[in-house]
Amino acid sequence: MPQAEPDKTQNLERRAMIVGMAGNLVMCGLGLYAGYLSHSQAIQLDGLFSLIGFAAAYLGLRVAQRIARGPDKFRPYGYAADEAIFVTFRALALFGLVLFAMINAVLNILGHFDGTPRPSLNPGPMLPYFTAVGTLCTALFGFHRWCWIRTDRKSGLLRLESQAAAFDGLVTAAAAVGLLGIGYYSNGLLAPIAPIGDSLVVLILCVTVLAQYFRDFLAGLAELAGVTAQPQEIASARRAIRDTLEKDGGVLRDLTLTKTGRSYLAVVYYDPTRPVRAEEMDHLTKTLNLDVAANLTGAELCLVVTQTDRTAQMQGST
């Protein structure tokens, strides 16, 4: 499959982020207003998720613009790390919001058992709200995913936004089932939990999303820490440079690959097994760069001429 052009990717990201900002702002307003009318903390929490989604889309737009700058004297390796920073702190913000909502829900449940009166739920605004927000989430997911596919599935920003829209839709659907079910059965089967039903729905939603946001946070943190890329990506880099190194006649001693945002840095430890000139190695480096970039978009390669692997060199430096 041909790789997406950088300008095309940037235009798709910019368009998707602007649409995401508009959609999340509408959902935030609907959530806060419907939550106020229905006395539902779960709906208000859904609106706050959309508020973070709006802020994330705005920051994602700024990140996409910064990435387009390329390397300069202040950032010699470019601005791709901003994408990993964005993913990490977006997940951290959502994780913090979930923890706050869980604590608030637990306090409300304890307050109920202590005799603190709670306003009863008003189911009137719920169905229109869930219908509107569910439709918007589905539309945002479809649009973000379409844009992501058009970038040949390489844009981490668009992948994250499509996942966030899908997740938001699932959370909204779960809240709809819980709240409407409690409202329908409040005088029958669910009568004992009806006064705290809203808080129980909040707790269930938070427990559901907590693990996902924590995994996203750890994944972004791993990229910022320089953790080795995924095994399939390392295998792809090895396949990309194999033919060129075989033609040169040397021995590949080691290869490391790290991923930061949408960029990769491959370090090749290569033994030419013969005397070489700097000009030859410069030409080999350029060829290998083209090879690895064809398989991993945004990849750059550093060639280290050595008779040992990375581990031996690290031991020798200590």
Side-chain angles (χ1 to χ4, degrees), residues 209-229:
V209 302
L210 200 62
Q212 178 63 46
Y213 293 149
F214 189 62
R215 282 195 297 268
D216 289 342
F217 171 70
L218 291 181
L221 203 60
E223 288 191 8
L224 294 176
V227 173
T228 300

Side-chain angles (χ1 to χ4, degrees), residues 71-127:
D72 55 32
K73 64 180 181 179
F74 298 107
R75 301 283 288 272
Y77 293 103
Y79 290 82
D82 287 3
E83 186 172 2
I85 295 171
F86 166 76
V87 171
T88 303
F89 284 95
R90 185 185 193 279
L92 184 61
L94 289 168
F95 188 74
L97 175 61
V98 167
L99 289 178
F100 171 77
M102 289 179 69
I103 293 171
N104 194 49
V106 170
L107 290 177
N108 286 334
I109 293 172
L110 294 176
H112 169 74
F113 288 115
D114 287 341
T116 304
R118 292 284 303 159
S120 58
L121 293 176
N122 174 20
M126 291 184 183
L127 186 58

Side-chain angles (χ1 to χ4, degrees), residues 155-167:
S155 171
L157 291 175
L158 293 178
R159 177 186 58 80
L160 184 66
E161 289 304 306
S162 66
Q163 288 177 347
F167 214 60

Side-chain angles (χ1 to χ4, degrees), residues 13 63 67 70-71 75-85 154-157 222-224 226-230 233 256-266 292-293 296-301:
E13 287 176 336
V63 168
I67 290 173
R75 301 283 288 272
Y77 293 103
Y79 290 82
D82 287 3
E83 186 172 2
I85 295 171
K154 299 298 182 182
S155 171
L157 291 175
E223 288 191 8
L224 294 176
V227 173
T228 300
Q230 296 296 317
E233 294 169 332
T256 63
L257 182 71
T258 56
K259 179 179 181 294
T260 307
R262 68 189 59 186
S263 70
Y264 296 86
L265 176 61
V292 74
L296 297 171
T297 301
E300 293 186 4
L301 182 140

